[in-house]
Amino acid sequence: MKVTKARSLAKAVMYRGLGTSSTFLIAWAFTGEAMIATGIAILEFFVKTALYYFYERFWNLISWGRSKS
């Protein structure tokens, strides 16, 4: 089974969209500042999307736990 880079990127972006929403709400609750929460959420989105993408691509190189069916 081969997984394309586009699929990995789409999964990373969609997953981070969900995660970034919760990060924004948590940061806003802690700081009380929507602008600070937005900055944190934007930074977190890009950093964690890249981390997830490379993590996903790394695991695609490993055949452990896969079946051909």
mmCIF file of all heavy atoms in Angstrom, residues 4-44:
data_model
loop_
_atom_site.group_PDB
_atom_site.id
_atom_site.type_symbol
_atom_site.label_atom_id
_atom_site.label_comp_id
_atom_site.label_asym_id
_atom_site.label_seq_id
_atom_site.Cartn_x
_atom_site.Cartn_y
_atom_site.Cartn_z
ATOM 1 N N THR A 4 0.246 8.684 -0.744
ATOM 2 C CA THR A 4 0.850 9.840 -1.410
ATOM 3 C C THR A 4 1.179 10.948 -0.411
ATOM 4 O O THR A 4 0.593 11.029 0.679
ATOM 5 C CB THR A 4 -0.096 10.408 -2.479
ATOM 6 O OG1 THR A 4 -1.259 10.940 -1.837
ATOM 7 C CG2 THR A 4 -0.484 9.349 -3.505
ATOM 8 N N LYS A 5 2.101 11.807 -0.834
ATOM 9 C CA LYS A 5 2.466 12.959 -0.007
ATOM 10 C C LYS A 5 1.284 13.909 0.138
ATOM 11 O O LYS A 5 1.095 14.513 1.194
ATOM 12 C CB LYS A 5 3.661 13.673 -0.626
ATOM 13 C CG LYS A 5 4.930 12.869 -0.548
ATOM 14 C CD LYS A 5 6.081 13.580 -1.208
ATOM 15 C CE LYS A 5 7.320 12.703 -1.146
ATOM 16 N NZ LYS A 5 8.467 13.345 -1.806
ATOM 17 N N ALA A 6 0.477 14.028 -0.914
ATOM 18 C CA ALA A 6 -0.702 14.909 -0.849
ATOM 19 C C ALA A 6 -1.688 14.436 0.213
ATOM 20 O O ALA A 6 -2.277 15.242 0.938
ATOM 21 C CB ALA A 6 -1.382 14.983 -2.220
ATOM 22 N N ARG A 7 -1.875 13.113 0.321
ATOM 23 C CA ARG A 7 -2.764 12.573 1.342
ATOM 24 C C ARG A 7 -2.219 12.869 2.735
ATOM 25 O O ARG A 7 -2.963 13.284 3.632
ATOM 26 C CB ARG A 7 -2.941 11.063 1.154
ATOM 27 C CG ARG A 7 -3.822 10.419 2.209
ATOM 28 C CD ARG A 7 -3.887 8.901 2.016
ATOM 29 N NE ARG A 7 -4.400 8.234 3.179
ATOM 30 C CZ ARG A 7 -5.692 7.999 3.406
ATOM 31 N NH1 ARG A 7 -6.595 8.382 2.524
ATOM 32 N NH2 ARG A 7 -6.085 7.374 4.500
ATOM 33 N N SER A 8 -0.920 12.676 2.921
ATOM 34 C CA SER A 8 -0.298 12.963 4.221
ATOM 35 C C SER A 8 -0.469 14.429 4.580
ATOM 36 O O SER A 8 -0.782 14.768 5.729
ATOM 37 C CB SER A 8 1.187 12.607 4.198
ATOM 38 O OG SER A 8 1.370 11.227 4.042
ATOM 39 N N LEU A 9 -0.280 15.309 3.604
ATOM 40 C CA LEU A 9 -0.425 16.744 3.862
ATOM 41 C C LEU A 9 -1.880 17.091 4.186
ATOM 42 O O LEU A 9 -2.149 17.851 5.122
ATOM 43 C CB LEU A 9 0.069 17.557 2.668
ATOM 44 C CG LEU A 9 0.012 19.073 2.834
ATOM 45 C CD1 LEU A 9 0.838 19.525 4.033
ATOM 46 C CD2 LEU A 9 0.483 19.750 1.569
ATOM 47 N N ALA A 10 -2.830 16.529 3.444
ATOM 48 C CA ALA A 10 -4.248 16.790 3.715
ATOM 49 C C ALA A 10 -4.632 16.330 5.113
ATOM 50 O O ALA A 10 -5.348 17.036 5.839
ATOM 51 C CB ALA A 10 -5.119 16.096 2.665
ATOM 52 N N LYS A 11 -4.157 15.148 5.507
ATOM 53 C CA LYS A 11 -4.451 14.646 6.860
ATOM 54 C C LYS A 11 -3.864 15.567 7.912
ATOM 55 O O LYS A 11 -4.512 15.875 8.925
ATOM 56 C CB LYS A 11 -3.883 13.233 7.027
ATOM 57 C CG LYS A 11 -4.677 12.167 6.333
ATOM 58 C CD LYS A 11 -4.015 10.813 6.459
ATOM 59 C CE LYS A 11 -3.940 10.338 7.892
ATOM 60 N NZ LYS A 11 -3.326 9.001 8.010
ATOM 61 N N ALA A 12 -2.635 16.022 7.691
ATOM 62 C CA ALA A 12 -1.974 16.892 8.660
ATOM 63 C C ALA A 12 -2.720 18.212 8.809
ATOM 64 O O ALA A 12 -2.960 18.680 9.928
ATOM 65 C CB ALA A 12 -0.529 17.144 8.233
ATOM 66 N N VAL A 13 -3.112 18.825 7.692
ATOM 67 C CA VAL A 13 -3.794 20.116 7.736
ATOM 68 C C VAL A 13 -5.165 19.992 8.403
ATOM 69 O O VAL A 13 -5.528 20.813 9.255
ATOM 70 C CB VAL A 13 -3.917 20.715 6.316
ATOM 71 C CG1 VAL A 13 -4.848 21.917 6.300
ATOM 72 C CG2 VAL A 13 -2.539 21.097 5.790
ATOM 73 N N MET A 14 -5.914 18.961 8.052
ATOM 74 C CA MET A 14 -7.239 18.790 8.648
ATOM 75 C C MET A 14 -7.153 18.489 10.142
ATOM 76 O O MET A 14 -7.914 19.039 10.954
ATOM 77 C CB MET A 14 -8.000 17.699 7.915
ATOM 78 C CG MET A 14 -8.349 18.109 6.484
ATOM 79 S SD MET A 14 -9.304 16.884 5.623
ATOM 80 C CE MET A 14 -10.893 17.141 6.401
ATOM 81 N N TYR A 15 -6.210 17.638 10.524
ATOM 82 C CA TYR A 15 -6.033 17.309 11.937
ATOM 83 C C TYR A 15 -5.623 18.544 12.728
ATOM 84 O O TYR A 15 -6.136 18.805 13.815
ATOM 85 C CB TYR A 15 -5.003 16.192 12.084
ATOM 86 C CG TYR A 15 -4.760 15.796 13.514
ATOM 87 C CD1 TYR A 15 -5.671 15.009 14.200
ATOM 88 C CD2 TYR A 15 -3.624 16.219 14.186
ATOM 89 C CE1 TYR A 15 -5.464 14.649 15.518
ATOM 90 C CE2 TYR A 15 -3.408 15.864 15.507
ATOM 91 C CZ TYR A 15 -4.320 15.082 16.169
ATOM 92 O OH TYR A 15 -4.110 14.737 17.470
ATOM 93 N N ARG A 16 -4.698 19.317 12.169
ATOM 94 C CA ARG A 16 -4.236 20.504 12.878
ATOM 95 C C ARG A 16 -5.314 21.563 12.951
ATOM 96 O O ARG A 16 -5.354 22.353 13.899
ATOM 97 C CB ARG A 16 -2.982 21.085 12.224
ATOM 98 C CG ARG A 16 -1.715 20.339 12.507
ATOM 99 C CD ARG A 16 -1.415 19.956 13.951
ATOM 100 N NE ARG A 16 -1.892 20.822 15.000
ATOM 101 C CZ ARG A 16 -2.326 20.384 16.184
ATOM 102 N NH1 ARG A 16 -2.335 19.110 16.478
ATOM 103 N NH2 ARG A 16 -2.734 21.224 17.089
ATOM 104 N N GLY A 17 -6.192 21.621 11.969
ATOM 105 C CA GLY A 17 -7.306 22.567 12.047
ATOM 106 C C GLY A 17 -8.149 22.321 13.279
ATOM 107 O O GLY A 17 -8.530 23.259 13.994
ATOM 108 N N LEU A 18 -8.414 21.058 13.546
ATOM 109 C CA LEU A 18 -9.168 20.697 14.757
ATOM 110 C C LEU A 18 -8.370 21.033 16.014
ATOM 111 O O LEU A 18 -8.900 21.614 16.967
ATOM 112 C CB LEU A 18 -9.498 19.205 14.742
ATOM 113 C CG LEU A 18 -10.496 18.740 13.690
ATOM 114 C CD1 LEU A 18 -10.554 17.216 13.672
ATOM 115 C CD2 LEU A 18 -11.862 19.326 13.977
ATOM 116 N N GLY A 19 -7.101 20.660 16.007
ATOM 117 C CA GLY A 19 -6.261 20.907 17.174
ATOM 118 C C GLY A 19 -6.043 22.387 17.441
ATOM 119 O O GLY A 19 -6.014 22.834 18.589
ATOM 120 N N THR A 20 -5.896 23.156 16.368
ATOM 121 C CA THR A 20 -5.659 24.588 16.514
ATOM 122 C C THR A 20 -6.872 25.293 17.101
ATOM 123 O O THR A 20 -6.738 26.239 17.884
ATOM 124 C CB THR A 20 -5.267 25.207 15.157
ATOM 125 O OG1 THR A 20 -4.043 24.597 14.740
ATOM 126 C CG2 THR A 20 -5.055 26.696 15.252
ATOM 127 N N SER A 21 -8.049 24.819 16.763
ATOM 128 C CA SER A 21 -9.265 25.394 17.347
ATOM 129 C C SER A 21 -9.261 25.251 18.862
ATOM 130 O O SER A 21 -9.560 26.204 19.588
ATOM 131 C CB SER A 21 -10.503 24.713 16.768
ATOM 132 O OG SER A 21 -10.567 24.904 15.387
ATOM 133 N N SER A 22 -8.888 24.075 19.334
ATOM 134 C CA SER A 22 -8.855 23.875 20.785
ATOM 135 C C SER A 22 -7.719 24.669 21.417
ATOM 136 O O SER A 22 -7.873 25.219 22.512
ATOM 137 C CB SER A 22 -8.735 22.393 21.133
ATOM 138 O OG SER A 22 -7.498 21.876 20.717
ATOM 139 N N THR A 23 -6.586 24.774 20.732
ATOM 140 C CA THR A 23 -5.470 25.572 21.253
ATOM 141 C C THR A 23 -5.881 27.031 21.404
ATOM 142 O O THR A 23 -5.567 27.673 22.407
ATOM 143 C CB THR A 23 -4.244 25.463 20.330
ATOM 144 O OG1 THR A 23 -3.804 24.111 20.319
ATOM 145 C CG2 THR A 23 -3.112 26.355 20.800
ATOM 146 N N PHE A 24 -6.575 27.551 20.390
ATOM 147 C CA PHE A 24 -7.050 28.937 20.458
ATOM 148 C C PHE A 24 -7.945 29.151 21.675
ATOM 149 O O PHE A 24 -7.767 30.106 22.442
ATOM 150 C CB PHE A 24 -7.799 29.319 19.179
ATOM 151 C CG PHE A 24 -8.499 30.645 19.292
ATOM 152 C CD1 PHE A 24 -7.794 31.825 19.140
ATOM 153 C CD2 PHE A 24 -9.859 30.713 19.582
ATOM 154 C CE1 PHE A 24 -8.432 33.054 19.269
ATOM 155 C CE2 PHE A 24 -10.505 31.926 19.710
ATOM 156 C CZ PHE A 24 -9.787 33.108 19.556
ATOM 157 N N LEU A 25 -8.906 28.245 21.865
ATOM 158 C CA LEU A 25 -9.847 28.394 22.982
ATOM 159 C C LEU A 25 -9.135 28.302 24.327
ATOM 160 O O LEU A 25 -9.439 29.073 25.254
ATOM 161 C CB LEU A 25 -10.957 27.357 22.875
ATOM 162 C CG LEU A 25 -11.905 27.544 21.685
ATOM 163 C CD1 LEU A 25 -12.856 26.357 21.580
ATOM 164 C CD2 LEU A 25 -12.666 28.855 21.810
ATOM 165 N N ILE A 26 -8.192 27.392 24.443
ATOM 166 C CA ILE A 26 -7.444 27.245 25.701
ATOM 167 C C ILE A 26 -6.591 28.483 25.957
ATOM 168 O O ILE A 26 -6.566 29.022 27.072
ATOM 169 C CB ILE A 26 -6.583 25.966 25.683
ATOM 170 C CG1 ILE A 26 -7.498 24.727 25.689
ATOM 171 C CG2 ILE A 26 -5.599 25.949 26.847
ATOM 172 C CD1 ILE A 26 -6.776 23.432 25.360
ATOM 173 N N ALA A 27 -5.882 28.958 24.921
ATOM 174 C CA ALA A 27 -5.032 30.148 25.076
ATOM 175 C C ALA A 27 -5.870 31.369 25.425
ATOM 176 O O ALA A 27 -5.468 32.189 26.256
ATOM 177 C CB ALA A 27 -4.233 30.392 23.791
ATOM 178 N N TRP A 28 -7.046 31.482 24.816
ATOM 179 C CA TRP A 28 -7.933 32.606 25.108
ATOM 180 C C TRP A 28 -8.432 32.534 26.543
ATOM 181 O O TRP A 28 -8.497 33.546 27.256
ATOM 182 C CB TRP A 28 -9.086 32.589 24.123
ATOM 183 C CG TRP A 28 -9.928 33.840 24.110
ATOM 184 C CD1 TRP A 28 -9.655 35.048 24.691
ATOM 185 C CD2 TRP A 28 -11.183 33.993 23.462
ATOM 186 N NE1 TRP A 28 -10.662 35.933 24.434
ATOM 187 C CE2 TRP A 28 -11.619 35.322 23.684
ATOM 188 C CE3 TRP A 28 -11.979 33.155 22.715
ATOM 189 C CZ2 TRP A 28 -12.815 35.812 23.180
ATOM 190 C CZ3 TRP A 28 -13.179 33.645 22.209
ATOM 191 C CH2 TRP A 28 -13.586 34.948 22.443
ATOM 192 N N ALA A 29 -8.757 31.330 26.990
ATOM 193 C CA ALA A 29 -9.221 31.159 28.368
ATOM 194 C C ALA A 29 -8.129 31.525 29.375
ATOM 195 O O ALA A 29 -8.402 32.140 30.406
ATOM 196 C CB ALA A 29 -9.695 29.724 28.587
ATOM 197 N N PHE A 30 -6.893 31.161 29.071
ATOM 198 C CA PHE A 30 -5.791 31.444 29.993
ATOM 199 C C PHE A 30 -5.358 32.899 29.971
ATOM 200 O O PHE A 30 -5.022 33.464 31.017
ATOM 201 C CB PHE A 30 -4.588 30.560 29.674
ATOM 202 C CG PHE A 30 -4.600 29.245 30.396
ATOM 203 C CD1 PHE A 30 -5.267 28.159 29.859
ATOM 204 C CD2 PHE A 30 -3.968 29.083 31.616
ATOM 205 C CE1 PHE A 30 -5.307 26.943 30.509
ATOM 206 C CE2 PHE A 30 -3.987 27.873 32.294
ATOM 207 C CZ PHE A 30 -4.661 26.797 31.730
ATOM 208 N N THR A 31 -5.316 33.505 28.779
ATOM 209 C CA THR A 31 -4.802 34.873 28.672
ATOM 210 C C THR A 31 -5.889 35.933 28.718
ATOM 211 O O THR A 31 -5.614 37.077 29.080
ATOM 212 C CB THR A 31 -4.022 35.058 27.356
ATOM 213 O OG1 THR A 31 -4.922 34.951 26.244
ATOM 214 C CG2 THR A 31 -2.891 34.062 27.227
ATOM 215 N N GLY A 32 -7.111 35.579 28.288
ATOM 216 C CA GLY A 32 -8.170 36.565 28.206
ATOM 217 C C GLY A 32 -8.003 37.511 27.030
ATOM 218 O O GLY A 32 -8.748 38.479 26.894
ATOM 219 N N GLU A 33 -7.024 37.235 26.167
ATOM 220 C CA GLU A 33 -6.727 38.093 25.022
ATOM 221 C C GLU A 33 -6.881 37.317 23.725
ATOM 222 O O GLU A 33 -6.129 36.368 23.457
ATOM 223 C CB GLU A 33 -5.279 38.611 25.113
ATOM 224 C CG GLU A 33 -5.002 39.465 26.322
ATOM 225 C CD GLU A 33 -5.576 40.870 26.177
ATOM 226 O OE1 GLU A 33 -5.759 41.319 25.027
ATOM 227 O OE2 GLU A 33 -5.842 41.498 27.205
ATOM 228 N N ALA A 34 -7.838 37.726 22.903
ATOM 229 C CA ALA A 34 -8.078 37.024 21.639
ATOM 230 C C ALA A 34 -6.888 37.160 20.682
ATOM 231 O O ALA A 34 -6.573 36.222 19.944
ATOM 232 C CB ALA A 34 -9.346 37.549 20.977
ATOM 233 N N MET A 35 -6.222 38.302 20.654
ATOM 234 C CA MET A 35 -5.088 38.496 19.743
ATOM 235 C C MET A 35 -3.902 37.609 20.119
ATOM 236 O O MET A 35 -3.240 37.047 19.253
ATOM 237 C CB MET A 35 -4.666 39.969 19.699
ATOM 238 C CG MET A 35 -5.678 40.867 18.995
ATOM 239 S SD MET A 35 -6.067 40.328 17.310
ATOM 240 C CE MET A 35 -4.525 40.580 16.489
ATOM 241 N N ILE A 36 -3.622 37.495 21.396
ATOM 242 C CA ILE A 36 -2.544 36.614 21.847
ATOM 243 C C ILE A 36 -2.901 35.173 21.529
ATOM 244 O O ILE A 36 -2.072 34.403 21.030
ATOM 245 C CB ILE A 36 -2.268 36.803 23.354
ATOM 246 C CG1 ILE A 36 -1.669 38.186 23.600
ATOM 247 C CG2 ILE A 36 -1.338 35.707 23.878
ATOM 248 C CD1 ILE A 36 -1.521 38.547 25.062
ATOM 249 N N ALA A 37 -4.134 34.791 21.782
ATOM 250 C CA ALA A 37 -4.594 33.436 21.487
ATOM 251 C C ALA A 37 -4.495 33.145 19.996
ATOM 252 O O ALA A 37 -4.099 32.043 19.588
ATOM 253 C CB ALA A 37 -6.022 33.246 21.969
ATOM 254 N N THR A 38 -4.814 34.128 19.159
ATOM 255 C CA THR A 38 -4.712 33.957 17.710
ATOM 256 C C THR A 38 -3.260 33.744 17.295
ATOM 257 O O THR A 38 -2.961 32.860 16.480
ATOM 258 C CB THR A 38 -5.297 35.185 16.975
ATOM 259 O OG1 THR A 38 -6.680 35.308 17.341
ATOM 260 C CG2 THR A 38 -5.171 35.049 15.475
ATOM 261 N N GLY A 39 -2.347 34.521 17.836
ATOM 262 C CA GLY A 39 -0.917 34.360 17.530
ATOM 263 C C GLY A 39 -0.402 32.990 17.922
ATOM 264 O O GLY A 39 0.330 32.339 17.157
ATOM 265 N N ILE A 40 -0.776 32.550 19.093
ATOM 266 C CA ILE A 40 -0.379 31.219 19.560
ATOM 267 C C ILE A 40 -0.941 30.153 18.632
ATOM 268 O O ILE A 40 -0.238 29.225 18.225
ATOM 269 C CB ILE A 40 -0.854 30.985 21.010
ATOM 270 C CG1 ILE A 40 -0.087 31.890 21.974
ATOM 271 C CG2 ILE A 40 -0.703 29.518 21.407
ATOM 272 C CD1 ILE A 40 -0.664 31.939 23.383
ATOM 273 N N ALA A 41 -2.214 30.279 18.264
ATOM 274 C CA ALA A 41 -2.873 29.283 17.411
ATOM 275 C C ALA A 41 -2.232 29.234 16.022
ATOM 276 O O ALA A 41 -2.026 28.151 15.472
ATOM 277 C CB ALA A 41 -4.362 29.583 17.306
ATOM 278 N N ILE A 42 -1.920 30.387 15.458
ATOM 279 C CA ILE A 42 -1.295 30.418 14.124
ATOM 280 C C ILE A 42 0.078 29.755 14.160
ATOM 281 O O ILE A 42 0.405 28.929 13.302
ATOM 282 C CB ILE A 42 -1.212 31.859 13.595
ATOM 283 C CG1 ILE A 42 -2.619 32.358 13.249
ATOM 284 C CG2 ILE A 42 -0.298 31.955 12.383
ATOM 285 C CD1 ILE A 42 -2.693 33.845 12.957
ATOM 286 N N LEU A 43 0.890 30.113 15.128
ATOM 287 C CA LEU A 43 2.222 29.515 15.249
ATOM 288 C C LEU A 43 2.118 28.006 15.449
ATOM 289 O O LEU A 43 2.801 27.221 14.785
ATOM 290 C CB LEU A 43 2.986 30.156 16.414
ATOM 291 C CG LEU A 43 4.386 29.600 16.683
ATOM 292 C CD1 LEU A 43 5.290 29.837 15.483
ATOM 293 C CD2 LEU A 43 4.957 30.239 17.927
ATOM 294 N N GLU A 44 1.231 27.607 16.334
ATOM 295 C CA GLU A 44 1.032 26.187 16.630
ATOM 296 C C GLU A 44 0.573 25.428 15.389
ATOM 297 O O GLU A 44 1.021 24.316 15.125
ATOM 298 C CB GLU A 44 0.002 26.067 17.757
ATOM 299 C CG GLU A 44 -0.347 24.673 18.175
ATOM 300 C CD GLU A 44 -1.609 24.158 17.504
ATOM 301 O OE1 GLU A 44 -2.264 24.897 16.758
ATOM 302 O OE2 GLU A 44 -1.939 22.986 17.738
#
